[in-house]
Amino acid sequence: MYTKIFKDGLSRRRFLETAASAVALAGLNTRVLAADKIIKIGFLAPLTGPVAAWGKPGLDGCQIWAEKVNASGGVQLADGNYMVEFIGYDNEYDPAKARTGATKLIREEDVKFVMMLGGDTWPGAQPVADKTGMLFSTLLPSDLAPDTETLLAPAEVHPIYNVTGVEWLAENKPDLKTAVICAQDDALGLPSVATYLAAFEAAGIEMLEEPLLFDPATTDFAPVVTKLIAKDPQIVCLDTCYSDYVHPIAEQLFQQGYKGQIISCTADFYDQMIDKTSVEFMEGFIFQFPDFDDPALNDEAINFRDPNGFYAEYNKRHPGEWGAVSWEYAAIMDLWKDGAERAGTAEPAAVLAAMKEGGRGKHAFGTADWWGTDLFGIDNALVGNWPVVVIEDGKARIKAFKSIPDWYAKHGDLLKKHMAAYGQMWNQRS
């Protein structure tokens, strides 16, 4: 049904083999002595299948996080120090399996917090969250609604951070005035399409065609790209396409002679795209997720602990597998740990209150606000600055940190207009 995620280098077979190992060995690296006090954290995400690249690398990152935290004394609560153990459950990006996994993690494993990718799987888990009062996190704020009181989006603010890439593009390449978009027609693609449309409109960039939405089962991207670039756009936007799609689309753009600007939410495993195209073709490719060896992440405003060391250790253990989510779940754990220690307990309601106390939090890229009522119906998204990343000489580099709230203050009505047009406002989603 799906194409290879990565032809050569990190092949899909190899990726899924390592993903399967993660399922079998989830929690092994964080296993502690029976005599230790333990807090279990649920990791409910796709660990195998076509969306595994946005789940399994996050669990790998969490194992590194747990080892570092446990080695330094664990989580300090009112009744003593606790070690952290992650319990992984592969939901295969299936709502029914997400519901089963949420129930098992809470009822059988007694976890105190559950992290998810979200998207199509959140509706499966939400009834369990509502019934148990468990604290959940998502990487997709579009999951939020007024009734998702125990769901937080504390790390990734997809898709609204995509406005920062377009804003930077318009400021730095003002001669580029026409664009096209393609995306898979699903819960990740559609809100992102709406966001990019709002960002392009705010920047005065003309859309030459309606967004090209393709079936998630698509395997042949040659005709998609032929149609996409038929009107010779100056900018091609790949929206929030999965790596399954970004890689073959980029290869087709190269093969069909496209010479313009490319902008995308992600560019996971971009070295493999360079191998399939060229350094020159990928020069200037704009996306939203940095490598953590980037010098810009050593700024004192950054709250992620030792990003360079984390990146080095991750790549030592999982060479060639660094991607958009490798750090995000670990960043969420930094926020959770801080909340639990301030609350003095790991109980979900107390940790939730501590995390949101004062309306601000230490986001990975700087202090941010708990925000979202205007767009999501609830202030459960941690929103602040987000990096704009550009590939230069074959290496991703942060070019700027742009403020999402500043953009929204000027253009929020545009975003709501386009979200409503695609049925993505909280009161439109079933």
Side-chain angles (χ1 to χ4, degrees), residues 163-174 261 284 286 388-390 392 399-402:
V163 303
T164 64
V166 176
E167 184 179 44
W168 185 90
L169 170 61
E171 291 170 351
N172 289 272
K173 299 185 178 183
Q261 175 70 52
I286 298 171
V388 178
V389 182
V390 179
E392 296 180 333
K399 302 302 291 184
F401 289 94
K402 305 287 287 185

Side-chain angles (χ1 to χ4, degrees), residues 35-72:
D36 289 332
K37 295 181 177 180
I38 301 170
I39 298 172
K40 295 181 181 180
I41 305 296
F43 193 95
L44 180 61
L47 301 177
T48 59
V51 195
W54 290 347
K56 189 262 180 183
L59 180 56
D60 292 337
C62 283
Q63 306 290 17
I64 295 171
W65 181 93
E67 289 174 24
K68 291 181 179 293
V69 167
N70 290 345
S72 63

Side-chain angles (χ1 to χ4, degrees), residues 80-316:
N81 288 17
Y82 285 75
M83 302 293 103
V84 176
E85 180 178 355
F86 287 96
I87 308 296
Y89 189 96
D90 182 12
N91 67 29
E92 300 177 44
Y93 204 61
D94 178 271
K97 291 180 180 178
R99 182 167 186 162
T100 300
T103 301
K104 178 179 175 60
L105 289 169
I106 296 168
R107 299 299 189 193
E108 298 181 22
E109 297 291 350
D110 193 29
V111 301
K112 298 301 183 183
F113 177 42
V114 179
M115 291 189 289
M116 296 184 68
L117 168 63
D120 290 329
T121 57
W122 169 243
Q126 184 174 1
V128 182
D130 293 343
K131 186 174 182 178
T132 63
M134 178 56 62
L135 178 60
F136 280 72
S137 69
T138 178
L139 297 187
L140 306 175
S142 51
D143 291 338
L144 298 175
D147 63 345
T148 58
E149 295 181 359
T150 64
L151 178 68
L152 296 177
E156 181 171 346
V157 285
H158 181 273
I160 54 175
Y161 54 61
N162 287 327
V163 303
T164 64
V166 176
E167 184 179 44
W168 185 90
L169 170 61
E171 291 170 351
N172 289 272
K173 299 185 178 183
D175 54 315
L176 302 183
K177 290 296 185 182
T178 62
V180 292
I181 298 176
C182 70
Q184 73 277 359
D185 189 355
D186 70 0
L188 281 167
L190 294 179
S192 189
V193 165
T195 301
Y196 274 114
L197 288 174
F200 284 132
E201 183 174 345
I205 295 171
E206 176 190 0
M207 302 306 303
L208 295 180
E209 293 280 4
E210 290 295 313
L212 196 168
L213 300 178
F214 56 82
D215 190 309
T218 300
T219 59
D220 182 5
F221 286 93
V224 172
V225 170
T226 298
K227 184 176 181 181
L228 188 66
I229 62 175
K231 292 190 175 180
D232 195 25
Q234 294 175 304
I235 304 165
V236 167
C237 175
L238 305 187
D239 195 68
T240 305
C241 286
Y242 306 138
S243 295
D244 248 358
Y245 311 139
V246 172
H247 283 237
I249 290 171
E251 188 175 349
Q252 279 297 317
L253 287 168
F254 174 71
Q255 291 179 359
Q256 295 188 32
Y258 180 68
K259 303 293 186 183
Q261 175 70 52
I262 305 175
I263 185 169
S264 176
C265 177
T266 65
D268 288 346
F269 319 106
Y270 63 83
D271 58 323
Q272 295 172 29
M273 284 195 280
I274 292 172
D275 289 343
K276 287 291 186 179
T277 59
S278 69
V279 171
E280 293 75 20
F281 176 79
M282 292 293 292
E283 184 73 13
F285 189 113
I286 298 171
F287 64 113
Q288 306 287 170
F289 288 88
D291 293 339
F292 267 39
D293 60 348
D294 198 301
L297 293 177
N298 296 321
D299 188 275
E300 61 181 13
I302 300 300
N303 292 313
F304 193 93
R305 296 167 184 163
D306 186 22
N308 298 171
F310 181 86
Y311 182 80
E313 182 62 25
Y314 189 98
N315 282 286
K316 177 182 176 182

Side-chain angles (χ1 to χ4, degrees), residues 372-384:
T373 294
D374 193 44
L375 191 61
F376 308 120
I378 192 169
D379 285 335
N380 276 14
L382 193 57
V383 179

